[in-house]
Amino acid sequence: MENKLKYYLQIADNALILSHRLSEYCSRAPFLEEDLANTNVALDLIGLAESVYEEYAKIENKGNCGDDIAYRRKETEFYNVTLVEQPNHDFAHIMVRQFFTDAFHYNFFFELCKSKDHFLAALAKKSIKEVTYHLRRSSEWMIRLGKGTEEASQRTQKAIDHLWKYTPEFFIENCTDIEMNQNGMGVDLQIVQANWKQKISEIFYMSQFNIPSTDFLIKGGKEGLHSENLGYILCEMQFLPNKYPDAKW
Amino acid sequence: MKTEALSKEELLLAFEEKINSEQKIEPLDWMPDEYRNHLIRQISQHAHSEVIGMQPEGNWITRAPSLRSKKILLAKIQDEGGHGLYLYSAAETLGVSRDQYIQWLHEGKAKYASVFNYPALNWADMGAIGWLVDGAAITNQVSLQRTSYGPYSRAMVRICKEESFHQRQGYEIMWKMMEGTKDQQQMAQDALNRWWWPALMMFGPHDGDSPHTSNAMKWKIKRETNDILREKFINKTIPQAELIGLKVPDTQIELLSDGSYKHSDINWDEFWQVVNGNGPCNAQRLAHHIQVHNEGAWVRESANLSGNLE
Amino acid sequence: MNNKDTQGELWEVFIQSKPGQSFKHAGAIHAFDREMAIENARDTYTRRGEGSGLWVVKSKDIVAVTPNEEGYFFDPSNDKVYRHPTFYEMPEGVKNM
């Protein structure tokens, strides 16, 4: 049961923390239409996280609600990958981070549709629709940036080079992933990784970006060991519940 | 073409006849320059207001205290962006590009609603903005659905349909906080104290002091005067405040026998100071918009290039 | 103004609210290419599930009749009442016609 609950958090925390970064970007996109598109993705991700936290609270049965799970945990109890907490350095970083995550989400939820866990299977089926659209949008942006100005392709390649080392963490199997895969509730991350790589290669080929050659990787998020960024994110996100613990909003 | 056969007087007569019979004016119709210029000013100001209005609320998205409230707030801010977009599109039918409108905003030649030059200081401000600022805006917008310019009218119909939830979500926040802890009640009252007068100022100067009102009324761009709309808003809002235990920050409030309220006058000195750039957040709001616009320039340039390859 | 820095082109958006219905003009958006245009139209005009179908077309590609011409353009069909079903007399009680 413990691994199942942690698996839930790994899924929800990725969505919540990335949505936080996208929320920060609201009113800051290069043009108005893009602002709306960015917010749509953020809304989908919050909705995803919320439904998982609610289910988590129900299974856990300790009298918590979904919000308690999001707002009352500390940094080391968050299990998102380190990539999604990386800051909004510029539009290229935002879009590369999004593309990597969308490609993961798409292939992950595709596999998760087969889960023996009814909740996860239903979640996957709902999410795959949203994530398909997210991936279409970020893939098109990658191609657009690759075919655009010199500055755009340089900035984007720089973002790829910087963020690449965070991507293997999606696929590193911890004991939660292994157990969930074995009992048929989770997915085989090696399959997800192979499909992810294929998508990345395809889009990079079309947009003429290079896959960095480095083997160096940064991990720890899935075990609660994060970059300095997460502390600030939670500090901001949890401010009101922390400051007024008895208040209901 | 018939146009060339008609004199300017005849065109004006036909134009005014159309307006008087409640027909909409469409982009390709002949219209007097003053009408066009008034629309260019008013619709773009309206569009800029929606977009700048994203900022005070954007200030609290990352601190929204529940996932539900975060989603609602985000969706509301997104709506505002969308409404800005509908309005820019309507304004563009007058032959001015969005680039140009944004440039005028950055140069200080175009204004936006002064109310957004006030800061959003606590979570209850999200309630006060939705309830009062959107409430005031919708009072105005409902009447603008009947405006004589077709694209503007159609944008307003769409906007009014979507905005109906904005005021309700704001009032819900205030109500929940008034039902909550002492701290929450204080925050709610504090937010009302700070947003009440700016919300009343949104309707603009008294009718007698409003330089653009007369032509705008004659040509049915505006359908009701500033003061009439303001009184409507006051009369419906005070009972809403009282219902949840909030007190409007005006010692002169008194219910009259006809159901309307007596109240004190707006501090017009503050009004003009904020309109003319000296409000607490004027510089900050504009700087934010300019900075974002400049930071996005390389993305637009690049997309422009790749789009042209299609 | 820098010519390279634009907000993209203007596109008109048409939405079909239910399958089988006709497409109706909803408004306009800006976009830099076709893919972006259809996605921006979706994000802007169908946020509340208003659409089952979506068309976008560059505003500059729309050919419009100017209202000043509408007299000679539309009036001639006004006297062709036979195109309207109410032109025909029907015996009382006829159904589904």
Side-chain angles (χ1 to χ4, degrees):
Chain A
M1 183 50 96
E2 229 166 62
N3 273 326
K4 178 170 147 176
L5 285 175
K6 181 158 181 263
Y7 202 69
Y8 277 36
L9 292 181
Q10 287 181 185
I11 296 171
D13 291 347
N14 277 343
L16 181 68
I17 300 304
L18 184 58
S19 80
H20 184 95
R21 285 301 190 210
L22 298 177
S23 310
E24 286 177 338
Y25 198 56
C26 183
S27 87
R28 291 183 157 80
F31 49 98
L32 203 43
E33 285 81 355
E34 196 50 39
D35 220 299
L36 268 66
N38 170 70
T39 303
N40 260 354
V41 178
L43 280 168
D44 286 345
L45 293 174
I46 297 174
L48 197 170
E50 190 182 25
S51 66
V52 180
Y53 291 141
E54 278 166 8
E55 185 66 15
Y56 179 101
K58 225 187 320 176
I59 298 172
E60 189 197 38
N61 199 18
K62 287 185 183 164
N64 287 324
C65 65
D67 277 343
D68 293 327
I69 311 304
Y71 284 89
R72 313 263 180 189
R73 275 181 301 148
K74 55 183 188 245
E75 221 180 311
T76 49
E77 295 163 340
F78 271 77
Y79 301 119
N80 58 281
V81 295
T82 323
L83 174 71
V84 295
E85 64 200 51
Q86 297 311 303
N88 299 339
H89 178 67
D90 65 2
F91 186 79
H93 279 72
I94 289 166
M95 206 41 83
V96 170
R97 184 184 64 199
Q98 195 62 41
F99 174 56
F100 287 161
T101 310
D102 292 344
F104 168 72
H105 271 156
Y106 176 82
N107 290 299
F108 177 79
F109 285 124
F110 187 83
E111 294 298 315
L112 197 65
C113 288
K114 294 175 269 183
S115 172
K116 284 183 186 159
D117 182 273
H118 290 308
F119 174 78
L120 288 180
L123 176 82
K125 280 177 194 133
K126 177 176 187 294
S127 300
I128 198 91
K129 285 188 205 153
E130 296 170 351
V131 169
T132 302
Y133 182 74
H134 300 173
L135 179 59
R136 173 176 155 182
R137 170 177 168 263
S138 57
S139 301
E140 280 166 7
W141 262 115
M142 294 304 293
I143 295 168
R144 198 174 282 130
L145 290 166
K147 287 183 178 166
T149 59
E150 189 61 32
E151 180 179 8
S153 72
Q154 274 175 13
R155 279 179 182 262
T156 309
Q157 185 64 54
K158 212 171 141 187
I160 292 167
D161 293 346
H162 174 65
L163 294 172
W164 185 255
K165 57 184 168 293
Y166 295 99
T167 58
E169 193 181 6
F170 280 128
F171 314 107
I172 296 173
E173 293 179 306
N174 58 21
C175 50
T176 300
D177 296 317
I178 292 168
E179 191 192 300
M180 288 295 280
N181 183 28
Q182 279 169 355
N183 64 24
M185 292 197 280
V187 308
D188 184 344
L189 282 176
Q190 285 177 10
I191 297 177
V192 177
Q193 182 167 30
N195 292 333
W196 182 87
K197 274 207 164 134
Q198 196 184 336
K199 179 71 184 176
I200 302 295
S201 311
E202 187 189 307
I203 297 297
F204 278 17
Y205 174 76
M206 290 163 79
S207 51
Q208 298 178 342
F209 289 123
N210 301 315
I211 293 182
S213 52
T214 173
D215 287 333
F216 182 69
L217 65 95
I218 289 178
K219 57 178 183 170
K222 279 159 83 171
E223 310 312 320
L225 194 66
H226 293 277
S227 67
E228 287 182 350
N229 296 303
L230 188 68
Y232 289 97
I233 292 176
L234 295 185
C235 183
E236 198 170 330
M237 189 178 92
Q238 299 176 337
F239 157 67
L240 283 169
N242 277 343
K243 176 102 180 162
Y244 307 102
D246 302 325
K248 295 232 177 328
W249 307 89
Chain B
M1 296 278 287
K2 291 181 189 175
T3 316
E4 284 151 36
L6 294 174
S7 72
K8 200 170 168 196
E9 286 71 26
E10 288 169 313
L11 285 166
L12 184 62
L13 208 66
F15 168 82
E16 292 190 331
E17 212 168 86
K18 227 175 181 177
I19 298 240
N20 289 336
S21 61
E22 295 290 328
Q23 290 184 58
K24 299 292 180 214
I25 305 301
E26 294 298 333
L28 299 176
D29 286 342
W30 184 90
M31 61 185 89
D33 289 346
E34 297 91 325
Y35 180 82
R36 184 184 298 275
N37 291 336
H38 188 101
L39 287 170
I40 286 174
R41 195 181 51 78
Q42 180 171 334
I43 304 175
S44 70
Q45 178 170 332
H46 202 157
H48 296 324
S49 300
E50 296 280 356
V51 173
I52 298 288
M54 296 165 79
Q55 291 182 39
E57 290 171 305
N59 186 33
W60 278 90
I61 303 174
T62 55
R63 289 178 289 173
S66 68
L67 295 175
R68 177 178 181 270
S69 64
K70 197 189 282 282
K71 278 195 305 190
I72 293 172
L73 184 61
L74 206 48
K76 175 172 186 283
I77 299 172
Q78 186 192 39
D79 271 351
E80 277 151 21
H83 298 169
L85 223 151
Y86 303 161
L87 288 160
Y88 280 128
S89 301
E92 281 178 276
T93 62
L94 295 158
V96 178
S97 71
R98 197 199 293 180
D99 285 302
Q100 181 64 69
Y101 284 121
I102 290 174
Q103 193 185 332
W104 283 336
L105 174 69
H106 290 177
E107 290 168 355
K109 288 176 187 156
K111 296 220 183 303
Y112 55 87
S114 263
V115 73
F116 300 120
N117 292 317
Y118 289 87
L121 300 178
N122 81 55
W123 174 250
D125 287 38
M126 299 305 99
I129 290 176
W131 173 37
L132 302 174
V133 176
D134 289 71
I138 205 154
T139 307
N140 192 23
Q141 285 165 346
V142 163
S143 123
L144 280 174
Q145 291 182 94
R146 294 183 297 124
T147 188
S148 60
Y149 187 55
Y152 192 27
S153 162
R154 290 191 286 273
M156 287 328 303
V157 169
R158 190 171 269 278
I159 288 173
C160 284
K161 217 161 76 187
E162 297 188 352
E163 284 229 336
S164 53
F165 97 82
H166 292 185
Q167 196 186 9
R168 296 174 77 108
Q169 69 88 29
Y171 191 61
E172 187 195 75
I173 290 175
M174 294 303 252
W175 174 53
K176 277 193 183 168
M177 291 184 78
M178 289 307 287
E179 300 272 289
T181 64
K182 212 164 184 64
D183 280 324
Q184 287 177 297
Q185 291 169 2
Q186 276 169 4
M187 283 186 233
Q189 183 61 54
D190 168 52
L192 173 59
N193 293 349
R194 285 180 289 104
W195 289 96
W196 174 252
W197 291 108
L200 297 190
M201 292 177 195
M202 285 175 71
F203 295 96
H206 283 314
D207 298 339
D209 306 325
S210 183
H212 303 291
T213 295
S214 66
N215 266 347
M217 294 294 291
K218 183 179 82 185
W219 287 330
K220 298 188 179 173
I221 297 174
K222 276 174 86 160
R223 302 306 306 251
E224 282 170 295
T225 69
N226 296 351
D227 284 328
I228 288 176
L229 290 168
R230 183 166 22 237
E231 294 304 316
K232 267 191 190 174
F233 175 74
I234 291 173
N235 293 340
K236 71 182 177 195
T237 307
I238 291 175
Q240 292 169 356
E242 287 171 349
L243 183 70
I244 56 174
L246 284 165
K247 209 171 156 347
V248 170
D250 181 350
T251 51
Q252 305 293 309
I253 295 285
E254 192 188 320
L255 181 60
L256 304 174
S257 56
D258 65 352
S260 68
Y261 286 87
K262 196 184 116 197
H263 56 86
S264 17
D265 200 12
I266 285 170
N267 177 346
W268 292 108
D269 181 48
E270 177 180 325
F271 174 86
W272 289 113
Q273 285 292 339
V274 180
V275 167
N276 290 321
N278 298 320
C281 299
N282 292 60
Q284 177 190 337
R285 301 287 185 237
L286 198 57
H288 174 114
H289 198 276
I290 293 173
Q291 185 193 343
V292 164
H293 186 75
N294 291 342
E295 283 172 0
W298 70 266
V299 182
R300 294 190 301 272
E301 275 174 29
S302 179
N304 199 31
L305 180 71
S306 58
N308 285 338
L309 298 175
E310 246 185 14
Chain C
M1 187 177 282
N2 186 346
N3 280 334
K4 288 185 295 179
D5 181 10
T6 73
Q7 296 271 320
E9 287 194 85
L10 197 60
W11 303 66
E12 300 298 323
V13 179
F14 299 83
I15 294 175
Q16 182 189 42
S17 49
K18 281 190 200 123
Q21 290 189 345
S22 53
F23 284 71
K24 208 174 148 197
H25 185 241
I29 47 103
H30 282 243
F32 292 88
D33 50 54
R34 300 146 67 101
E35 291 80 15
M36 197 193 285
I38 205 91
E39 285 159 26
N40 288 349
R42 166 203 186 263
D43 288 338
T44 303
Y45 288 100
T46 67
R47 294 198 301 287
R48 288 168 171 76
E50 293 95 332
S52 70
L54 201 57
W55 289 346
V56 291
V57 58
K58 282 184 188 172
S59 306
K60 65 176 188 200
D61 290 339
I62 294 209
V63 183
V65 180
T66 72
N68 298 323
E69 305 173 320
E70 71 188 327
Y72 72 80
F73 204 87
F74 293 123
D75 286 353
S77 61
N78 279 354
D79 56 3
K80 297 182 178 62
V81 286
Y82 45 82
R83 286 187 176 135
H84 298 276
T86 47
F87 175 72
Y88 300 94
E89 273 180 55
M90 287 287 122
E92 214 164 299
V94 69
K95 293 206 176 115
N96 301 323
M97 189 69 94

